[in-house]
Amino acid sequence: MNMNSDSKFMQRAYDRANFARLIAPPNPWVGAVLVTLYGTSFEGHTQRPGQNHAEAQVLEHAGPQAKGATLFVTLEPCCIDAKTPPCVNKIINSGISRVVIGVQDTDPRVSGRGMELLREAGVEVTLGVLEDEITSQLKPYLYQRRTGLPFVIMKLAASLDGKIAAPDNTSKWITGPEARQDVQNLRAQSDAILVGAKTVQIDDPGLRILDINAPDGQAVREPLRCVLGKAKSESKVNPCLEYSGDITEMLKDLASKGVLQLMVEGGAGVAGGFFSEDLVDCYVFYYAPAIFASNSALPMFNGENTGTIDSLRRGTIDSVVTLGSDIRVTYIPDRRGNN
């Protein structure tokens, strides 16, 4: 096969991985395509935790036709015993002759070792096909495995002048239904959602996922609900995890619980705290066509983080999307650390 056909089949594997996005975590959402010596192809993606990984899925479909075939997989095959046997062993035992991999796993238990075992067994390995696209697709997983911290998304909905609530704290549904549905999609992709105790006290959010189903037709898993501070026993957010103290220690604890992506939904004090500690990897701003024009209206961030123009935090606008009458701006900050 040439590089053009490699890219074509890897694109199909990439597309299959999207089917796994809402069901695979805390495992990575991986897609695979197996092409036999006779040109027949089989496709698969990672199933729910404890079930088949993408590689095992296509090998089951292919059966004996896997001998001499080429396997395209978006992530380096695993080589560790967990809830399922190592995929590397299944690949070697199947008689596959070549494996084409999108990106190397950043999990230190796997990173490079999966490819090494395949090569030692005489399997030809090619790495880096559609690497940029797949790195972006798997960003929360790769980041968490590399840093030991969840990938943090900060979601904020505001008026055009950057206000999230009226002076009397009323703020429900600044944005329209299309933007709110998009927030549900973000929640479904996240493993945990965090709000501050003041938000729980004022808005009493349930932080549930509404009107989202997984591609297999089953309900999506509910993310962990987290509160920075204390929630009253009657709060809708319960049952929840309550945290206090150092935010980084909280993130480490969430990562140990399998959280790959944390969605922070506010309020302004929590947003300011995460900003101050430089712990946000991606901001998603939803702007409504509305203006408060009031000094008393609540801003998106509380705190005194920027004292001069030279200390202004900068980054990159990743995308701007119209959602009904609102707009969504995705912003990637320039991180001060090495993450």
Side-chain angles (χ1 to χ4, degrees):
M1 294 185 184
N2 57 37
M3 287 305 295
N4 286 335
S5 62
D6 281 357
S7 296
K8 179 184 74 172
F9 288 117
M10 188 61 78
Q11 181 64 52
R12 285 170 56 180
Y14 173 93
D15 293 339
R16 288 294 303 204
N18 288 324
F19 286 93
R21 181 64 181 90
L22 300 184
I23 64 173
N27 295 326
W29 38 103
V30 177
V33 174
L34 184 147
V35 182
T36 72
L37 289 171
Y38 308 101
T40 306
S41 63
F42 299 89
E43 299 184 4
H45 59 268
T46 307
Q47 303 299 298
R48 292 177 181 268
Q51 300 177 14
N52 277 343
H53 290 185
E55 301 95 320
Q57 192 78 353
V58 294
L59 288 171
E60 275 193 9
H61 294 327
Q65 295 183 72
K67 187 174 179 61
T70 297
L71 175 67
F72 297 84
V73 61
T74 54
L75 181 68
E76 178 181 8
C78 67
C79 55
I80 53 175
D81 272 304
K83 292 183 178 179
T84 58
C87 289
V88 163
N89 294 359
K90 293 184 177 182
I91 293 169
I92 293 170
N93 293 335
S94 73
I96 280 177
S97 63
R98 181 176 181 237
V99 177
V100 182
I101 299 167
V103 297
Q104 182 171 319
D105 201 333
T106 54
D107 188 323
R109 300 171 299 172
V110 178
S111 187
R113 180 60 178 160
M115 292 185 288
E116 181 182 352
L117 290 170
L118 290 172
R119 291 187 176 114
E120 288 176 356
V123 179
E124 180 186 348
V125 176
T126 300
L127 174 67
V129 179
L130 296 190
E131 184 174 13
D132 291 345
E133 294 90 336
I134 295 168
T135 297
S136 178
Q137 183 185 52
L138 281 170
K139 185 181 291 184
Y141 168 80
L142 296 172
Y143 179 90
Q144 194 253 31
R145 290 297 195 268
R146 185 177 72 250
T147 67
L149 301 174
F151 186 81
V152 177
I153 291 180
M154 174 78 71
K155 185 277 295 184
L156 293 163
S159 60
L160 289 177
D161 55 343
K163 307 296 184 179
I164 63 173
D168 64 354
N169 283 317
T170 54
S171 63
K172 193 172 184 180
W173 294 349
I174 289 178
T175 54
E178 293 87 354
R180 297 200 299 273
Q181 184 60 44
D182 196 67
V183 171
Q184 294 297 318
N185 294 333
L186 271 182
R187 285 184 176 180
Q189 292 175 1
S190 300
D191 308 291
I193 304 173
L194 173 74
V195 295
K198 188 174 181 181
T199 296
V200 172
Q201 177 185 349
I202 295 171
D203 295 337
D204 197 19
L207 302 183
R208 267 67 176 182
I209 297 174
L210 306 173
D211 303 321
I212 300 286
N213 285 318
D216 61 6
Q218 299 182 46
V220 297
R221 76 202 189 292
E222 288 286 343
L224 297 173
R225 293 178 290 275
C226 308
V227 176
L228 204 53
K230 290 286 186 179
K232 293 182 178 179
S233 59
E234 65 270 20
S235 299
K236 293 178 183 176
V237 73
N238 285 307
C240 68
L241 299 175
E242 297 176 332
Y243 288 98
S244 60
D246 185 80
I247 298 176
T248 301
E249 291 304 313
M250 176 195 72
L251 294 178
K252 290 178 181 177
D253 182 70
L254 288 173
S256 74
K257 290 178 168 59
V259 173
L260 305 178
Q261 179 169 296
L262 170 66
M263 182 176 175
V264 180
E265 294 204 23
V270 172
F274 270 80
F275 178 89
S276 177
E277 297 294 325
D278 195 26
L279 292 172
V280 181
D281 302 293
C282 175
Y283 291 86
V284 182
F285 297 97
Y286 295 90
Y287 288 105
I291 296 175
F292 280 98
S294 169
N295 289 333
S296 301
L298 276 65
M300 288 189 277
F301 299 89
N302 278 342
E304 300 294 334
N305 290 294
T306 305
T308 67
I309 194 66
D310 290 334
S311 62
L312 188 68
R313 301 271 190 90
R314 296 192 179 274
T316 303
I317 301 296
D318 186 65
S319 65
V320 179
V321 178
T322 300
L323 297 168
S325 60
D326 308 312
I327 60 171
R328 183 191 70 206
V329 178
T330 305
Y331 165 82
I332 309 298
D334 292 338
R335 299 294 299 278
R336 296 177 298 185
N338 297 319
N339 294 338

